[in-house]
Amino acid sequence: MDPLSDVLSLLKPRSYMFGGFEAGGDWSIRFGQHEGIKCYAVVSGESWLSVEGVPDAVRLKTGDCFVLPRGRPFRVTSDLALAPVDYRTLFPTRPNGSIAKLNGGSDFSIVGGHFTLAGGHVDVLLAMLPPIVHIRREEDRESLRWCMERMRQELREPQPGGFLIAQQLAYTMLVQALRLHLAEGVTGGVGWLFALADRQMAAAITAMHEDPAHRWTLASLAERAGMSRTTFTLKFKETVGTSPMDYLTRWRMMVAGERLTHSSDSISVIALSLGYESESAFSTAFKRMMGCSPRQYGRGADPAASLHDRSETVGADRLEAMAS
């Protein structure tokens, strides 16, 4: 698989919801912090989207789609000067798949899907995603709207196999949104997602993902990127936020964690498949990166808690690099 597919395969969409609302007149709705990812499409009208921590509000127009992958509180409003009202006050009961109405609902209409994610690396992997992915081009919006409408149908009219269809639709929406985000030429960020927008960095990352067991060196990775070793090392650190060899080790450990949790492979088999000649060498690297031993992880140790505990000793800058 390609690196984006590799990383997202560790995120397992579940717990699907779909809904929306129609509004008329003046209105302002606040939504609190949420787990997972929300995707929305504006059916009609215009509004403002303001996400906590993002300086500028986004103007939404009919047909626009947007994705909120970071779980930050946000508000949707007809006027940024209005004081927002919590959505739970306005819509106290919202059956899955329903469309609520506010002030007659004649001026603005929006629908959206919400899915949570399972997997031990959710927080680490989502930490480097943009807080808003705003999709404006019609050909791009059409595919997301189709996915959301299908999810709405599956939730409102349950059919055999509906859970699997909803899961694949959730994957499709997330991948499509991130693919479009990359196509826009994202710049200025640090992390694996931003690195994939760079042809040379993507070549090196792809090589590591395609064959994590290979004995990669700085020289061989630089050759894949078509750069000198020194230039490659500096650019990789600047773009990804960590050194090439640290990235490779971290990716190996994420793959190992997935297999420890979801396969019956022994630690020695996993170690060998990821390029480690001994179980002890693998275990040492795993504990250094994941905060617990492979056996503890396989028994259900919380990797997020381990990472949190380690952050107090390695420092916030190190933890940020681990999220790349």
Side-chain angles (χ1 to χ4, degrees):
M1 292 191 292
D2 62 276
L4 181 59
S5 298
D6 276 342
V7 172
L8 295 182
S9 69
L10 299 182
L11 305 179
K12 296 173 174 56
R14 61 179 175 82
S15 182
Y16 312 100
M17 297 291 290
F18 194 96
F21 66 89
E22 300 173 352
D26 295 326
W27 54 274
S28 184
I29 306 174
R30 180 180 62 249
F31 297 85
Q33 185 171 341
H34 61 270
E35 293 184 4
I37 294 173
K38 291 189 174 184
C39 304
Y40 289 95
V42 178
V43 178
S44 63
E46 298 185 0
S47 71
W48 290 97
L49 167 67
S50 177
V51 177
E52 184 176 289
V54 178
D56 299 322
V58 174
R59 185 63 174 170
L60 300 174
K61 299 182 179 180
T62 299
D64 278 6
C65 296
F66 63 94
V67 181
L68 304 175
R70 297 280 293 276
R72 296 182 180 182
F74 67 99
R75 65 176 175 132
V76 184
T77 179
S78 62
D79 186 343
L80 290 170
L82 295 174
V85 179
D86 189 274
Y87 79 97
R88 289 167 294 189
T89 300
L90 297 172
F91 313 125
T93 58
R94 297 183 61 191
N96 200 1
S98 67
I99 304 296
K101 284 196 174 185
L102 179 65
N103 299 337
S106 59
D107 300 325
F108 179 78
S109 177
I110 189 171
V111 295
H114 175 206
F115 49 93
T116 57
L117 299 165
H121 309 296
V122 171
D123 292 337
V124 175
L125 294 174
L126 292 185
M128 295 310 297
L129 298 184
I132 306 173
V133 178
H134 185 198
I135 300 168
R136 302 176 181 85
R137 294 198 315 167
E138 178 55 37
E139 56 267 37
D140 298 334
R141 300 182 304 194
E142 185 176 352
S143 61
L144 277 182
R145 286 199 300 265
W146 182 88
C147 288
M148 282 189 278
E149 180 57 32
R150 280 302 309 272
M151 182 178 282
R152 181 184 180 188
Q153 292 176 4
E154 291 295 331
L155 293 173
R156 295 186 67 177
E157 304 171 9
Q159 298 288 331
F163 178 86
L164 182 60
I165 291 178
Q167 183 182 57
Q168 296 308 311
L169 289 170
Y171 266 129
T172 300
M173 284 190 285
L174 178 56
V175 173
Q176 182 70 0
L178 296 181
R179 180 186 291 172
L180 297 173
H181 189 63
L182 288 173
E184 292 179 354
V186 291
T187 58
V190 177
W192 62 270
L193 178 65
F194 300 99
L196 294 181
D198 182 287
R199 179 182 58 81
Q200 292 173 308
M201 296 300 98
I205 291 174
T206 297
M208 288 187 270
H209 280 245
E210 287 180 343
D211 191 1
H214 185 76
R215 291 181 176 276
W216 294 109
T217 64
L218 286 176
S220 60
L221 289 170
E223 183 179 357
R224 288 295 186 101
M227 306 170 71
S228 70
R229 189 173 70 174
T230 300
T231 303
F232 167 72
T233 303
L234 291 174
K235 185 173 183 180
F236 195 99
K237 173 71 173 179
E238 178 182 296
T239 307
V240 181
T242 187
S243 73
M245 305 319 291
D246 275 353
Y247 179 91
L248 175 60
T249 302
R250 189 172 300 115
W251 176 245
R252 285 171 171 169
M253 296 307 107
M254 286 187 174
V255 173
E258 179 72 5
R259 292 177 61 181
L260 286 166
T261 306
H262 297 100
S263 81
S264 59
D265 294 341
S266 66
I267 294 176
S268 59
V269 168
I270 294 173
L272 185 63
S273 71
L274 292 174
Y276 291 86
E277 295 183 354
S278 71
E279 183 177 324
S280 61
F282 166 74
S283 296
T284 298
F286 189 93
K287 188 171 184 178
R288 177 168 59 88
M289 284 291 176
M290 307 301 283
C292 64
S293 72
R295 296 187 191 283
Q296 290 173 322
Y297 193 99
R299 290 197 296 266
D302 184 358
S306 298
L307 287 173
H308 175 74
D309 292 341
R310 292 184 66 225
S311 69
E312 296 190 6
T313 58
V314 300
D317 55 339
R318 177 63 171 164
L319 186 60
E320 183 177 350
M322 291 180 64
S324 62

